[in-house]
């Protein structure tokens, strides 16, 4: 005897073959120069450039005080520089966290 043939039809096949895939165009990205990228990043997180400027300003003033022989003020400025660097790092991390939370929503 011949075994009976069984045809399995799923609901997906009941309406006929699937429609052809339509390819969507790939997104295009514009070339972004250094200035445009810097301005965009500054608008996204303005505290980071502010922290960098404070760090550089305090460091420069500390070096000037050191050259003039004002060691007490120079040491104070080096401690202030560490605080400004900490502020910059905290701003950077805070901006990254805010960006990741915003992208999830």
């Amino acid at each position: 005897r011949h075994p009976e043939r069984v045809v399995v039809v799923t609901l997906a096949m009941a309406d006929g073959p699937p429609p052809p895939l339509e390819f969507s165009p790939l997104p295009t990205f514009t070339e972004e120069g250094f200035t445009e990228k810097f301005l965009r990043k500054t608008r996204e997180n303005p505290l980071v450039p502010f922290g960098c400027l404070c760090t550089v300003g305090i460091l420069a003033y500390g070096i000037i005080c050191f050259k003039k022989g004002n060691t007490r003020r120079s040491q104070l400025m080096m401690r202030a520089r560490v605080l400004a660097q900490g502020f910059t790092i905290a701003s950077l991390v805070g901006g990254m966290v805010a960006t990741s939370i915003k992208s999830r929503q």
Side-chain angles (χ1 to χ4, degrees), residues 4 10-11 18 21 29 37 53 55 62 104:
E4 294 181 29
T10 64
L11 291 176
L21 294 176
F29 298 100
K37 185 174 182 177
L53 287 174
T55 301
R104 287 185 183 174

Side-chain angles (χ1 to χ4, degrees), residues 93-104:
V93 171
M96 289 171 43
V97 168
T99 301
S100 92
I101 289 173
K102 191 184 298 181
S103 69
R104 287 185 183 174

Side-chain angles (χ1 to χ4, degrees), residues 41-89:
K41 294 286 187 178
T42 301
R43 280 190 298 271
E44 288 174 4
N45 194 356
L47 294 179
V48 173
F50 176 72
C52 290
L53 287 174
C54 287
T55 301
V56 169
I58 291 170
L59 177 63
Y61 184 62
I63 291 173
I64 290 169
C65 290
F66 180 75
K67 292 254 184 198
K68 289 183 176 181
N70 191 347
T71 55
R72 182 176 170 89
R73 178 68 52 106
S74 173
Q75 285 297 311
L76 182 67
M77 289 299 108
M78 291 305 115
R79 291 182 187 136
R81 176 192 55 86
V82 171
L83 289 174
Q85 283 178 319
F87 172 79
T88 305
I89 298 292

Side-chain angles (χ1 to χ4, degrees), residues 24-40:
S24 60
L26 295 175
T28 57
F29 298 100
T30 59
E31 192 66 30
E32 187 177 39
F34 174 78
T35 305
E36 291 87 13
K37 185 174 182 177
F38 178 77
L39 291 174
R40 179 176 56 85

